[in-house]
Amino acid sequence: MSKESFSHWCLQLKKQNQAKRWRSLVVLVGNATWTTEQLETSLTLFLSAKESNEKLDKQGLVYGELAHASRANQLISVNRKNYAQYLGTEQDVIVFAVESKADDNDACHVESDFDVDAFAALSGTLVAGGVFLLLLKPSQVEQVNQVQSQDYFLKRFMLQLAAEHGYLIRQDKAEFPALFSFNKAAQDNRANEGQLSTAQQIKNLPYGCITQEQVLAVKVMLKVLSGHRDRPLVLTADRGRGKSSALALAACQMLANAKQPLKIIITAASKSALKVFFQQVETHLPDAKVGMNSVEHANGSIVFYAIDVLLKEQPEASIVMVDEAAALPVYLLQQLLSHYHRLIFATTIHGYEGAGRGFSLKFALVLQRLMPNWRKMHINEAIRWASDDPLEQFVFASCLLNAKLPNYPNTFLAMNNAIPEIKRESKREIKSEAKVGAESIANNVQAQSDLLSQYKLVTELVTPTQLLQNETLLQQVFAVLVTAHYQTSPSDLKLLLNNSAISLFVLKHENDILGVVMLMREGHADEKLVELIRENQRRLRDQFLPQSLLMHCGIKESFNYSYQRVMRIAIHPQFQGQGLGRHFLSAIERHITRQGINFIGASFAGNATLLKFWQQAGFAVARVGFSKDKASGEHSCLVTKALTFNASHLQQVIVEQFYQQFDYWLTDEFTHMPAKLVWQLLKGNTTLKTSVLARDILQSVNDFTSGQRQFSSCVYALHQWLLKHCTEQFNPEVLPLVARILQKHSIDKVCQQYAFTGKKSLNQHLIKYIKAHQALAHTL
C-alpha cells in the first residue's frame, strides 16, 4: 500500500463526505509505524492548514495513546475521565486508539479495552465532512477471529463493520475498500442543490431556524411561556438535530418580544454541556451582553444555575429550561416540578449521556402523575450531518442505540388484562392495606401465581454466542434492559457480551421476550486477595456482594460462599405490575440452586416500592447505604436470600445484625430517610413480628393514649410499640408516627411535613391512630 494510493483514497473519501454531508468511520489495523504513516497522510488531508503564529488551531480530538504524528498537535488529547467535556463541541477529525488489557483473573487472556461509551459519545461531536479514525492492533483483530475468543463485543463490531457503513484498512491487505460511487454522490448532490437553494431559505425560516422541525419546536417552547401553567414540555432528539440550538433560539425570542422583564433560568448536568446554547444566544441576540454564566438583555436575563444550587436557592423564574435532562436524576427533575410552573426539558435520547429511552419512560410516569397536561415533541431531522449519515447509522447499530422495544399485539394483552392487579401505590395507597388484610393480599398473590402458571411462560439461559448469532434476540433483550435503568449506556452491551461471570436469563411467551435478568457470579475469591480487601489495600471487580458484606457488615467469612447477584431485572413495560418479576425470579432461583449456589442477592436504589418487591420475593435486607446515590437520590439497599442449608445460618446473622443497628441509625444516619421506606424496612423484621411486648410497655402506651401521661414520659414505650406495629400491614396514617417517634423529628418539622396545625393536632393524631390499632389488635 503506497502513500500516494492511500492519499488518493482519502481525497476521494473527503470529496464524497463533503458532497453528501456525510461523516465516515475508517478503521486502521496495523503496527505502530504503519499506523503513524497512515495518520500523517489522513490528517494532512482531513485537517485544514489553518495556522497562527503561535500555535495550530485545534480541529479534532484524539482518545488514547497515539504514536507521534506531526499533525497530531492539531488534536486535543482526551481520556476516559474528561471526554464528556467535549460533547457540545464540533470537530473535523476524531482519532480513537483502542488499547488492550489483561484480565484480572487470567493474565494470559488479553481483551480490547474498547471504551465504547467514549466511542459513541465522541462520534456525536464530528461534523459533516469529517472522519472518525479508529486504530486497532493486528493482535486485537486476529484474536476476535479465533473461535475461542470471548471478546464478543469486538467480534460483533467487526462483523458489522464488514456489513455496514464503515471502511476497514489493514496493513496486510493491499486493496482499499470500495467507496460508494462518487458519481452517484455527485449526482445526488446536484439533485439536492435545488432543495438546498429552496432550503437556503434558511434565511426565510422564522427565528433563525434551519429546519421546519426546529421552527415547530421553538413555537411549542414559546407556548410554554405564554400558555397555561403546569404544562411542561419534554423535547427529545438524537444528537445533531439542533435541539440545544432550538432551546437557545426560543430563549432569544422570549427576550426579544418580552413585554415585561423576564428571568429565564437554564440548567444542565454541567455548564460545559451548554456551550452550543450560549453560542447560539450570542449569535441571535446581538444586543445582549453574554457573560460566563448569564446573558443580560434590555428585556430580562438568562442565568445558568447548577441543578443543586437551583433546588437549594429556588430563585424566581419566568421559565426554567433543562438541557440534557437525561443526564440528571429523575428525582431532581421531579423536585423542579414542585417549585416551578413553566418548564422545558430537552434531552438526547439515544445514550450518549445515558440511555434517554429509559429516562423517557420513567420521567413520563412522573409527569403523568404530577402534571397530566404535559406535552412532548421529538425532532427527527438531522442538521449537523445528512439524515443518511453512515457514521451515525453504524454507531446506532454497533452500540444498539437503535434497539426498539417490541410492542406486542392486543390479542396477547388478554393475558395481561386477566392477571389480577394487587399494587397499592400512588393514589390507591390512600386506602389502608390493613382494611384489606394480610390474608387477602396473600390470596391475591397466590391467585396471581396460579394464573401465571396457566400460560406457557419459559425461562431460558441465553449465552453470548446465541446473542451474537441472533441479532433480533440481542436487540429485544437490550431494549427491555434499557427500560429498567435510565442510565444504561453502550458499555452495558459490552459487559453483557464479554463478561464471562455474567449469566443472562430471558422470560418468554412463545417467541416474545417479556423479561430479562442479568446475574453476576461472585464469591470464592483467592484468600490472598481477600486479605488485601480486609486491609483496605484492594477492591475486586465483580465481587460486590461478598465485598460489601465483608467491608460494611463485618461478615469475615463472606468470601467462603458463592453468590449470584441480580445486576438488572427488567419486565417489558406492557406487563409490569402483574407478578411476572416474582415468577421470573423464582424460576431463576430454582435453576441456580441446582448449581449449588449459596446466595442470590441484589443492590438497588432503595424506595419503598422496590424494597417491597424484593421482600415479597423472600429477600431480606443486609445493608442500607448511609449516603444517597448520586443518580437516584436514594439510599442503596443490599438484599440477600439464602438458597442452601449452609447459607441459612449466615443469612440469619446478617439480618439480625442489620436490625440490631437500624433502630440506632434512625436517629443518626437515617434521620432524613423517607418514613415510608423506614416502615418498609421494619416490615421485613420477622423476629420483631413474632415478639411479645412486655406488660409495662403496653401500660405506658395506654397511659399516653388515655391522657394520663405526656408523650415524652412514654416515648420509650411508644417507640417499642411502633417498631412492632411497623411489621403489620401499611396504613399511610402511620407515617407521622414514624417521623416523630422513631426518627425523632421535631414537632415543628412533623407538623410542616404532614400539615398539622400544631403540637395539639399532632398529639391527637398519634393518640387516635394508636387507639384504633390497639382496638384492632384486640379484635384479631
Side-chain angles (χ1 to χ4, degrees):
M1 178 187 298
S2 68
K3 180 178 179 180
E4 290 74 18
S5 59
F6 181 61
S7 179
H8 176 74
W9 185 87
C10 288
L11 181 61
Q12 296 304 307
L13 178 64
K14 180 178 181 179
K15 289 179 178 179
Q16 176 175 280
N17 283 352
Q18 291 173 341
K20 299 286 287 181
R21 296 187 65 247
W22 279 353
R23 305 165 309 148
S24 294
L25 172 67
V26 177
V27 182
L28 300 177
V29 182
N31 61 34
T33 303
W34 179 86
T35 301
T36 301
E37 290 175 357
Q38 311 318 309
L39 277 178
E40 284 285 351
T41 302
S42 52
L43 291 178
T44 299
L45 281 168
F46 286 104
L47 291 175
S48 71
K50 289 185 297 183
E51 188 174 339
S52 67
N53 293 331
E54 297 181 2
K55 61 179 181 179
L56 293 167
D57 287 341
K58 303 295 184 180
Q59 302 171 55
L61 303 175
V62 55
Y63 182 99
E65 294 297 323
L66 184 62
H68 177 72
S70 62
R71 298 299 301 273
N73 57 357
Q74 284 185 260
L75 305 175
I76 299 171
S77 179
V78 298
N79 55 45
R80 195 181 299 264
K81 293 181 180 179
N82 70 0
Y83 74 83
Q85 298 175 15
Y86 295 89
L87 295 190
T89 64
E90 296 185 348
Q91 307 297 333
D92 296 321
V93 176
I94 306 290
V95 178
F96 197 100
V98 178
E99 299 299 318
S100 297
K101 65 176 180 180
D103 190 283
D104 285 349
N105 302 316
D106 184 1
C108 297
H109 176 64
V110 177
E111 67 175 51
S112 65
D113 186 15
F114 193 163
D115 186 352
V116 62
D117 289 342
F119 168 77
L122 293 177
S123 71
T125 68
L126 203 62
V127 296
V131 65
F132 194 115
L133 297 166
L134 181 66
L135 313 182
L136 294 174
K137 296 180 175 64
S139 58
Q140 295 168 334
V141 177
E142 290 165 6
Q143 186 179 0
V144 298
N145 290 330
Q146 296 173 3
V147 177
Q148 68 271 24
S149 171
Q150 292 186 345
D151 196 340
Y152 294 101
F153 176 83
L154 191 56
K155 186 175 288 189
R156 176 177 175 272
F157 186 92
M158 298 303 292
L159 287 171
Q160 292 207 325
L161 185 65
E164 299 287 341
H165 311 280
Y167 301 105
L168 176 62
I169 299 176
R170 299 185 55 150
Q171 181 180 2
D172 57 359
K173 298 285 181 68
E175 68 276 7
F176 293 102
L179 300 178
F180 295 113
S181 169
F182 179 69
N183 291 333
K184 181 179 184 303
Q187 181 181 354
D188 289 345
N189 190 51
R190 284 192 298 272
N192 287 334
E193 278 177 2
Q195 297 173 7
L196 278 176
S197 54
T198 334
Q200 252 170 28
Q201 297 169 21
I202 282 179
K203 297 180 181 178
N204 298 327
L205 287 178
Y207 316 128
C209 294
I210 295 178
T211 66
Q212 289 291 350
E213 276 190 314
Q214 253 195 342
V215 173
L216 181 58
V218 172
K219 286 182 178 179
V220 173
M221 286 188 273
L222 294 177
K223 187 70 174 176
V224 176
L225 179 65
S226 62
H228 293 287
R229 296 175 9 141
D230 297 329
R231 296 189 177 183
L233 170 69
V234 176
L235 177 67
T236 59
D238 292 328
R239 183 164 291 282
R241 268 61 182 174
K243 163 189 55 62
S244 295
S245 294
L247 206 62
L249 294 174
C252 291
Q253 286 299 311
M254 290 174 188
L255 284 178
N257 300 310
K259 296 180 180 177
Q260 57 185 9
L262 286 181
K263 183 175 182 182
I264 301 171
I265 288 179
I266 179 80
T267 188
S270 67
K271 173 62 165 51
S272 60
L274 296 172
K275 185 174 182 179
V276 170
F277 176 89
F278 280 104
Q279 283 176 344
Q280 292 287 355
V281 170
E282 191 168 15
T283 300
H284 293 277
L285 207 61
D287 53 342
K289 182 180 178 181
V290 179
M292 287 290 293
N293 293 309
S294 64
V295 176
E296 297 297 330
H297 186 268
N299 293 338
S301 63
I302 304 172
V303 183
F304 166 74
Y305 279 85
I307 187 69
D308 54 340
V309 176
L310 178 59
L311 290 171
K312 182 180 180 180
E313 298 182 2
Q314 297 178 27
E316 290 187 7
S318 308
I319 190 168
V320 174
M321 297 177 166
V322 184
D323 201 5
E324 295 305 353
L328 294 168
V330 168
Y331 82 97
L332 293 180
L333 302 179
Q334 182 174 333
Q335 290 179 49
L336 285 176
L337 294 173
S338 62
H339 297 317
Y340 297 101
H341 299 283
R342 300 186 187 277
L343 286 150
I344 297 171
F345 301 93
T347 195
T348 308
I349 63 161
H350 60 53
Y352 290 142
E353 286 79 27
R357 289 165 299 173
F359 156 81
S360 299
L361 288 168
K362 288 176 171 55
F363 193 41
L365 293 175
V366 171
L367 287 168
Q368 198 60 41
R369 178 165 51 89
L370 300 177
M371 301 276 184
N373 293 316
W374 69 285
R375 299 184 66 186
K376 61 181 177 180
M377 180 183 173
H378 184 72
I379 300 179
N380 296 285
E381 188 176 352
I383 290 176
R384 288 163 71 178
W385 49 78
S387 58
D388 59 344
D389 177 68
L391 178 63
E392 181 176 72
Q393 293 182 49
F394 180 82
V395 171
F396 271 46
S398 63
C399 299
L400 281 187
L401 301 178
N402 57 353
K404 293 182 180 178
L405 193 68
N407 186 30
Y408 298 120
N410 291 331
T411 52
F412 181 61
L413 292 180
M415 170 184 137
N416 179 300
N417 295 329
I419 299 174
E421 168 121 24
I422 64 167
K423 288 165 62 179
R424 290 177 179 83
E425 305 301 333
S426 63
K427 293 182 179 178
R428 281 175 291 177
E429 200 173 74
I430 297 172
K431 296 182 179 179
S432 169
E433 288 183 1
K435 295 178 182 178
V436 180
E439 184 177 348
S440 174
I441 291 176
N443 290 339
N444 276 336
V445 171
Q446 185 58 49
Q448 193 178 56
S449 179
D450 293 341
L451 188 58
L452 283 172
S453 64
Q454 299 176 20
Y455 296 93
K456 297 178 181 179
L457 300 178
V458 179
T459 298
E460 288 183 2
L461 177 65
V462 179
T463 67
T465 303
Q466 288 174 288
L467 294 174
L468 195 66
Q469 294 171 347
N470 189 336
E471 183 68 19
T472 300
L473 174 63
L474 176 59
Q475 290 196 21
Q476 286 186 332
V477 164
F478 200 70
V480 173
L481 280 175
V482 165
T483 67
H485 196 285
Y486 74 88
Q487 288 187 324
T488 303
S489 61
S491 59
D492 289 298
L493 174 62
K494 183 184 175 187
L495 183 73
L496 174 65
L497 290 174
N498 279 10
N499 195 314
S500 60
I502 287 178
S503 300
L504 179 75
F505 288 86
V506 296
L507 180 67
K508 297 173 65 176
H509 178 265
E510 298 177 350
N511 291 320
D512 298 325
I513 305 296
L514 305 188
V516 181
V517 164
M518 283 174 64
L519 297 177
M520 174 71 76
R521 184 176 67 253
E522 299 179 350
H524 291 311
D526 183 89
E527 183 57 35
K528 292 180 180 179
L529 293 175
V530 175
E531 189 59 36
L532 291 174
I533 296 172
R534 289 195 188 103
E535 295 172 357
N536 277 320
Q537 296 182 25
R538 181 76 186 270
R539 290 292 181 269
L540 296 184
R541 186 181 63 173
D542 302 340
Q543 290 285 0
F544 181 85
L545 286 177
Q547 201 159 242
S548 186
L549 291 173
L550 172 61
M551 298 302 298
H552 300 294
C553 304
I555 307 299
K556 305 300 182 186
E557 66 272 34
S558 64
F559 275 95
N560 296 339
Y561 295 83
S562 57
Y563 306 78
Q564 286 281 9
R565 174 166 61 93
V566 181
M567 295 181 66
R568 198 74 60 86
I569 177 169
I571 299 298
H572 190 293
Q574 285 181 253
F575 304 98
Q576 290 176 0
Q578 312 302 322
L580 268 70
R582 282 195 303 275
H583 175 88
F584 195 9
L585 271 179
S586 296
I588 290 170
E589 285 173 26
R590 291 192 294 270
H591 178 90
I592 63 178
T593 299
R594 290 193 292 269
Q595 298 177 334
I597 300 298
N598 301 123
F599 286 96
I600 185 171
S603 178
F604 52 91
N607 58 60
T609 303
L610 264 181
L611 181 58
K612 181 180 179 180
F613 165 79
W614 290 100
Q615 287 175 334
Q616 287 181 338
F619 289 72
V621 179
R623 178 176 181 261
V624 177
F626 296 141
S627 58
K628 292 184 178 182
D629 180 76
K630 290 181 180 179
S632 67
E634 296 168 332
H635 296 273
S636 62
C637 287
L638 190 155
V639 294
T640 57
K641 184 178 184 179
L643 300 178
T644 63
F645 177 78
N646 290 340
S648 297
H649 173 70
L650 182 60
Q651 170 81 354
Q652 185 177 352
V653 170
I654 292 170
V655 175
E656 285 179 356
Q657 284 187 5
F658 171 76
Y659 282 110
Q660 283 170 1
Q661 298 176 89
F662 183 61
D663 192 20
Y664 166 79
W665 287 330
L666 284 176
T667 58
D668 186 22
E669 301 286 355
F670 300 143
T671 186
H672 299 298
M673 178 180 283
K676 178 66 187 295
L677 179 57
V678 171
W679 176 86
Q680 191 68 52
L681 285 162
L682 290 170
K683 180 82 163 68
N685 191 344
T686 54
T687 303
L688 197 60
K689 187 176 182 67
T690 57
S691 66
V692 178
L693 292 175
R695 185 185 298 273
D696 61 325
I697 294 292
L698 294 175
Q699 184 59 57
S700 291
V701 173
N702 286 332
D703 288 348
F704 171 69
T705 56
S706 63
Q708 297 178 42
R709 294 167 64 190
Q710 293 182 345
F711 172 86
S712 296
S713 63
C714 304
V715 71
Y716 175 77
L718 295 173
H719 189 106
Q720 299 305 311
W721 179 88
L722 185 54
L723 284 175
K724 179 171 173 56
H725 174 71
C726 284
T727 64
E728 299 173 14
Q729 293 305 314
F730 178 68
N731 184 326
E733 293 180 359
V734 76
L735 298 181
L737 282 76
V738 172
R740 179 72 181 118
I741 298 172
L742 299 184
Q743 295 179 286
K744 305 296 185 285
H745 289 182
S746 68
I747 293 172
D748 289 344
K749 184 173 181 179
V750 177
C751 288
Q752 181 181 11
Q753 185 174 359
Y754 295 99
F756 293 110
T757 56
K759 179 179 179 180
K760 182 178 179 181
S761 173
L762 172 58
N763 273 350
Q764 286 174 346
H765 177 82
L766 302 184
I767 292 170
K768 180 180 178 182
Y769 183 90
I770 296 171
K771 274 187 174 180
H773 287 272
Q774 281 179 318
L776 182 62
H778 287 307
T779 61
L780 296 177

